[in-house]
PDB file of all heavy atoms in Angstrom:
ATOM      1  N   ALA A  68     -12.600  17.946   0.232  1.00 84.00           N
ATOM      2  CA  ALA A  68     -11.342  17.147  -0.047  1.00 84.00           C
ATOM      3  C   ALA A  68     -11.219  16.050   1.141  1.00 84.00           C
ATOM      4  O   ALA A  68     -10.945  14.948   0.906  1.00 84.00           O
ATOM      5  CB  ALA A  68     -10.145  17.982  -0.050  1.00 84.00           C
ATOM      6  N   MET A  69     -11.452  16.620   2.354  1.00 87.00           N
ATOM      7  CA  MET A  69     -11.367  15.679   3.514  1.00 87.00           C
ATOM      8  C   MET A  69     -12.474  14.679   3.520  1.00 87.00           C
ATOM      9  O   MET A  69     -12.321  13.567   4.027  1.00 87.00           O
ATOM     10  CB  MET A  69     -11.432  16.450   4.853  1.00 87.00           C
ATOM     11  CG  MET A  69     -11.011  15.628   6.072  1.00 87.00           C
ATOM     12  SD  MET A  69      -9.527  14.787   6.012  1.00 87.00           S
ATOM     13  CE  MET A  69      -8.297  16.134   6.002  1.00 87.00           C
ATOM     14  N   TRP A  70     -13.589  15.054   2.995  1.00 87.00           N
ATOM     15  CA  TRP A  70     -14.764  14.091   2.859  1.00 87.00           C
ATOM     16  C   TRP A  70     -14.399  12.848   2.102  1.00 87.00           C
ATOM     17  O   TRP A  70     -14.622  11.735   2.562  1.00 87.00           O
ATOM     18  CB  TRP A  70     -15.925  14.831   2.173  1.00 87.00           C
ATOM     19  CG  TRP A  70     -17.177  14.144   1.945  1.00 87.00           C
ATOM     20  CD1 TRP A  70     -17.676  13.111   2.605  1.00 87.00           C
ATOM     21  CD2 TRP A  70     -18.160  14.461   0.888  1.00 87.00           C
ATOM     22  NE1 TRP A  70     -18.845  12.789   2.132  1.00 87.00           N
ATOM     23  CE2 TRP A  70     -19.202  13.513   1.121  1.00 87.00           C
ATOM     24  CE3 TRP A  70     -18.196  15.455  -0.049  1.00 87.00           C
ATOM     25  CZ2 TRP A  70     -20.253  13.601   0.193  1.00 87.00           C
ATOM     26  CZ3 TRP A  70     -19.342  15.353  -0.859  1.00 87.00           C
ATOM     27  CH2 TRP A  70     -20.409  14.538  -0.720  1.00 87.00           C
ATOM     28  N   GLY A  71     -13.825  12.983   0.906  1.00 87.00           N
ATOM     29  CA  GLY A  71     -13.378  11.830   0.099  1.00 87.00           C
ATOM     30  C   GLY A  71     -12.233  11.079   0.748  1.00 87.00           C
ATOM     31  O   GLY A  71     -12.200   9.847   0.776  1.00 87.00           O
ATOM     32  N   THR A  72     -11.294  11.749   1.342  1.00 88.00           N
ATOM     33  CA  THR A  72     -10.162  11.142   1.960  1.00 88.00           C
ATOM     34  C   THR A  72     -10.477  10.317   3.194  1.00 88.00           C
ATOM     35  O   THR A  72     -10.132   9.179   3.242  1.00 88.00           O
ATOM     36  CB  THR A  72      -9.109  12.255   2.463  1.00 88.00           C
ATOM     37  OG1 THR A  72      -8.753  13.039   1.352  1.00 88.00           O
ATOM     38  CG2 THR A  72      -7.955  11.610   3.111  1.00 88.00           C
ATOM     39  N   MET A  73     -11.448  10.881   3.945  1.00 89.00           N
ATOM     40  CA  MET A  73     -11.813  10.062   5.180  1.00 89.00           C
ATOM     41  C   MET A  73     -12.705   8.750   4.824  1.00 89.00           C
ATOM     42  O   MET A  73     -12.488   7.767   5.375  1.00 89.00           O
ATOM     43  CB  MET A  73     -12.638  10.900   6.129  1.00 89.00           C
ATOM     44  CG  MET A  73     -11.837  12.025   6.947  1.00 89.00           C
ATOM     45  SD  MET A  73     -10.454  11.224   7.841  1.00 89.00           S
ATOM     46  CE  MET A  73     -11.429  10.196   8.950  1.00 89.00           C
ATOM     47  N   THR A  74     -13.432   9.038   3.714  1.00 90.00           N
ATOM     48  CA  THR A  74     -14.250   7.884   3.276  1.00 90.00           C
ATOM     49  C   THR A  74     -13.428   6.755   2.832  1.00 90.00           C
ATOM     50  O   THR A  74     -13.593   5.684   3.113  1.00 90.00           O
ATOM     51  CB  THR A  74     -15.204   8.335   2.254  1.00 90.00           C
ATOM     52  OG1 THR A  74     -16.062   9.321   2.710  1.00 90.00           O
ATOM     53  CG2 THR A  74     -16.144   7.165   1.660  1.00 90.00           C
ATOM     54  N   ARG A  75     -12.414   7.157   1.983  1.00 92.00           N
ATOM     55  CA  ARG A  75     -11.465   6.123   1.401  1.00 92.00           C
ATOM     56  C   ARG A  75     -10.658   5.419   2.589  1.00 92.00           C
ATOM     57  O   ARG A  75     -10.398   4.248   2.530  1.00 92.00           O
ATOM     58  CB  ARG A  75     -10.524   6.703   0.379  1.00 92.00           C
ATOM     59  CG  ARG A  75     -11.139   6.952  -0.910  1.00 92.00           C
ATOM     60  CD  ARG A  75     -11.540   5.638  -1.526  1.00 92.00           C
ATOM     61  NE  ARG A  75     -12.173   5.940  -2.818  1.00 92.00           N
ATOM     62  CZ  ARG A  75     -12.845   4.975  -3.426  1.00 92.00           C
ATOM     63  NH1 ARG A  75     -12.963   3.735  -3.059  1.00 92.00           N
ATOM     64  NH2 ARG A  75     -13.325   5.242  -4.595  1.00 92.00           N
ATOM     65  N   ASN A  76     -10.188   6.283   3.526  1.00 92.00           N
ATOM     66  CA  ASN A  76      -9.406   5.727   4.601  1.00 92.00           C
ATOM     67  C   ASN A  76     -10.170   4.674   5.416  1.00 92.00           C
ATOM     68  O   ASN A  76      -9.665   3.612   5.867  1.00 92.00           O
ATOM     69  CB  ASN A  76      -8.876   6.774   5.536  1.00 92.00           C
ATOM     70  CG  ASN A  76      -7.777   7.618   4.874  1.00 92.00           C
ATOM     71  OD1 ASN A  76      -7.131   7.183   3.883  1.00 92.00           O
ATOM     72  ND2 ASN A  76      -7.497   8.687   5.505  1.00 92.00           N
ATOM     73  N   ILE A  77     -11.464   5.011   5.652  1.00 92.00           N
ATOM     74  CA  ILE A  77     -12.363   4.058   6.441  1.00 92.00           C
ATOM     75  C   ILE A  77     -12.610   2.780   5.604  1.00 92.00           C
ATOM     76  O   ILE A  77     -12.677   1.730   6.062  1.00 92.00           O
ATOM     77  CB  ILE A  77     -13.691   4.837   6.780  1.00 92.00           C
ATOM     78  CG1 ILE A  77     -13.372   5.889   7.826  1.00 92.00           C
ATOM     79  CG2 ILE A  77     -14.669   3.818   7.387  1.00 92.00           C
ATOM     80  CD1 ILE A  77     -14.549   6.917   8.088  1.00 92.00           C
ATOM     81  N   LYS A  78     -12.844   3.064   4.269  1.00 93.00           N
ATOM     82  CA  LYS A  78     -13.134   1.779   3.406  1.00 93.00           C
ATOM     83  C   LYS A  78     -11.973   0.927   3.311  1.00 93.00           C
ATOM     84  O   LYS A  78     -12.032  -0.322   3.362  1.00 93.00           O
ATOM     85  CB  LYS A  78     -13.527   2.353   2.086  1.00 93.00           C
ATOM     86  CG  LYS A  78     -13.874   1.269   1.140  1.00 93.00           C
ATOM     87  CD  LYS A  78     -14.484   1.846  -0.172  1.00 93.00           C
ATOM     88  CE  LYS A  78     -15.030   0.763  -1.039  1.00 93.00           C
ATOM     89  NZ  LYS A  78     -15.676   1.197  -2.294  1.00 93.00           N
ATOM     90  N   GLN A  79     -10.710   1.534   3.300  1.00 93.00           N
ATOM     91  CA  GLN A  79      -9.462   0.716   3.268  1.00 93.00           C
ATOM     92  C   GLN A  79      -9.278  -0.067   4.528  1.00 93.00           C
ATOM     93  O   GLN A  79      -8.772  -1.192   4.561  1.00 93.00           O
ATOM     94  CB  GLN A  79      -8.272   1.564   2.952  1.00 93.00           C
ATOM     95  CG  GLN A  79      -8.182   2.077   1.497  1.00 93.00           C
ATOM     96  CD  GLN A  79      -7.090   3.052   1.353  1.00 93.00           C
ATOM     97  OE1 GLN A  79      -6.293   3.303   2.211  1.00 93.00           O
ATOM     98  NE2 GLN A  79      -7.030   3.614   0.153  1.00 93.00           N
ATOM     99  N   ALA A  80      -9.695   0.480   5.638  1.00 93.00           N
ATOM    100  CA  ALA A  80      -9.603  -0.181   6.954  1.00 93.00           C
ATOM    101  C   ALA A  80     -10.530  -1.411   7.010  1.00 93.00           C
ATOM    102  O   ALA A  80     -10.154  -2.402   7.505  1.00 93.00           O
ATOM    103  CB  ALA A  80      -9.903   0.814   8.101  1.00 93.00           C
ATOM    104  N   VAL A  81     -11.754  -1.194   6.480  1.00 93.00           N
ATOM    105  CA  VAL A  81     -12.749  -2.284   6.575  1.00 93.00           C
ATOM    106  C   VAL A  81     -12.194  -3.439   5.526  1.00 93.00           C
ATOM    107  O   VAL A  81     -12.336  -4.623   5.955  1.00 93.00           O
ATOM    108  CB  VAL A  81     -14.124  -1.741   6.072  1.00 93.00           C
ATOM    109  CG1 VAL A  81     -15.054  -2.953   5.844  1.00 93.00           C
ATOM    110  CG2 VAL A  81     -14.640  -0.827   7.136  1.00 93.00           C
ATOM    111  N   ILE A  82     -11.728  -3.091   4.374  1.00 93.00           N
ATOM    112  CA  ILE A  82     -11.289  -4.015   3.511  1.00 93.00           C
ATOM    113  C   ILE A  82      -9.986  -4.704   4.045  1.00 93.00           C
ATOM    114  O   ILE A  82      -9.822  -5.964   3.934  1.00 93.00           O
ATOM    115  CB  ILE A  82     -10.959  -3.465   2.140  1.00 93.00           C
ATOM    116  CG1 ILE A  82     -12.163  -2.927   1.424  1.00 93.00           C
ATOM    117  CG2 ILE A  82     -10.195  -4.413   1.180  1.00 93.00           C
ATOM    118  CD1 ILE A  82     -12.039  -2.199   0.133  1.00 93.00           C
ATOM    119  N   GLY A  83      -9.172  -3.997   4.719  1.00 93.00           N
ATOM    120  CA  GLY A  83      -7.945  -4.529   5.257  1.00 93.00           C
ATOM    121  C   GLY A  83      -8.199  -5.574   6.383  1.00 93.00           C
ATOM    122  O   GLY A  83      -7.534  -6.570   6.336  1.00 93.00           O
TER     123      GLY A  83
END
Side-chain angles (χ1 to χ4, degrees):
M69 190 55 66
W70 179 27
T72 301
M73 287 304 301
T74 303
R75 284 296 181 191
N76 289 346
I77 293 168
K78 187 172 185 173
Q79 288 173 4
V81 171
I82 292 170

